[in-house]
Amino acid sequence: MQTIFLIGYMGSGKTTIGRCLAQELGLQFIDLDLFIENRYRKKIRDIFAEMGETDFRIMERNALREIAGFENTLVSTGGGTPCFFDNMELMNRSGRTVYLKVSVNELAKRLHGGKQHRPLLAGKTPEELKSFIVENLALREPCYNQAQIRTDSFCLDTSCELDMIVGKLSTCLKQMNDYECEAN
Ligand code: S3P
């Protein structure tokens, strides 16, 4: 199966869904942020603090290029990955791209708890967080919308909801794969 790239805003469930979907499809799972942290032996927030976002984006780009060449792999990307350089084009060229779309209210709810680990969100009040998401998502959505598959991952509160999304995506990806195998 072609490499699968999960894309979407911070808090959209890329890692949670990615881990389960990779298992379901029998693929290796890679979380792009973790890959970068292991490679540079530094937390993402320390990379941002010590080297700045520009250097982080270059590291992210290089890691993505490397992973795009792997076989039988599902990658959970960072929320900003598709929006820098020609990363979105690279992913669309190298495999299947899936956009996990989530509403602003749901993202704000999910991200409120985890914002300290995310350098772009750290220190924001709930109001600032929400307006940041609104503005930032509006800038990023044109990139996310270039994905080949789009799914609504609004609710991930129960394991049943997670199973449903994973099942839906797995069927869709298998069908696309079968179709291509037949066409070749
Ligand atoms: C970022 C999202 C983060 C991480 C970095 C920047 C972004 O990944 O790559 O903090 O620009 O949206 P998650 O989407 O996994 O939180």
Side-chain angles (χ1 to χ4, degrees):
M1 187 175 265
Q2 282 189 308
T3 306
I4 296 164
F5 300 92
L6 293 194
I7 67 167
Y9 204 70
M10 291 174 267
S12 57
K14 300 180 295 287
T15 305
T16 310
I17 294 173
R19 218 179 279 285
C20 296
L21 186 58
Q23 199 176 12
E24 176 75 22
L25 293 168
L27 301 175
Q28 163 184 223
F29 173 70
I30 294 180
D31 179 279
L32 187 61
D33 282 341
L34 257 180
F35 185 89
I36 296 168
E37 289 185 343
N38 291 336
R39 171 63 52 91
Y40 296 95
R41 294 169 193 274
K42 255 187 212 301
K43 291 276 168 207
I44 299 294
R45 63 166 180 269
D46 295 332
I47 297 176
F48 267 75
E50 291 167 24
M51 303 163 86
E53 182 173 352
T54 307
D55 279 2
F56 168 73
R57 296 300 172 193
I58 295 170
M59 293 171 172
E60 181 179 53
R61 160 69 174 159
N62 291 340
L64 186 70
R65 259 198 199 149
E66 190 177 331
I67 293 170
F70 292 179
E71 292 195 342
N72 295 322
T73 300
L74 185 148
V75 190
S76 284
T77 62
T81 313
C83 314
F84 289 83
F85 306 105
D86 59 346
N87 291 348
M88 193 62 213
E89 196 193 315
L90 170 72
M91 291 189 278
N92 271 331
R93 221 183 324 123
S94 319
R96 293 278 165 231
T97 47
V98 181
Y99 171 28
L100 304 177
K101 190 176 165 69
V102 178
S103 72
V104 170
N105 283 343
E106 179 67 15
L107 288 174
K109 203 173 84 187
R110 289 187 200 170
L111 288 169
H112 183 62
K115 65 183 180 212
Q116 298 317 332
H117 310 291
R118 293 178 162 104
L120 296 177
L121 309 178
K124 295 202 187 314
T125 64
E127 294 72 34
E128 287 168 344
L129 178 66
K130 191 157 174 193
S131 34
F132 178 82
I133 297 172
V134 170
E135 282 169 29
N136 197 223
L137 188 59
L139 292 175
R140 289 181 170 188
E141 269 216 304
C143 299
Y144 296 158
N145 283 333
Q146 290 169 39
Q148 298 152 3
I149 302 170
R150 200 174 80 171
T151 188
D152 198 329
S153 70
F154 179 76
C155 264
L156 283 178
D157 294 339
T158 65
S159 59
C160 189
E161 282 152 356
L162 177 62
D163 286 350
M164 224 173 67
I165 290 176
V166 169
K168 206 169 90 178
L169 284 175
S170 139
T171 307
C172 174
L173 288 159
K174 277 181 194 155
Q175 274 169 358
M176 285 173 100
N177 195 52
D178 288 349
Y179 176 74
E180 266 173 18
C181 291
E182 273 170 30
N184 284 335

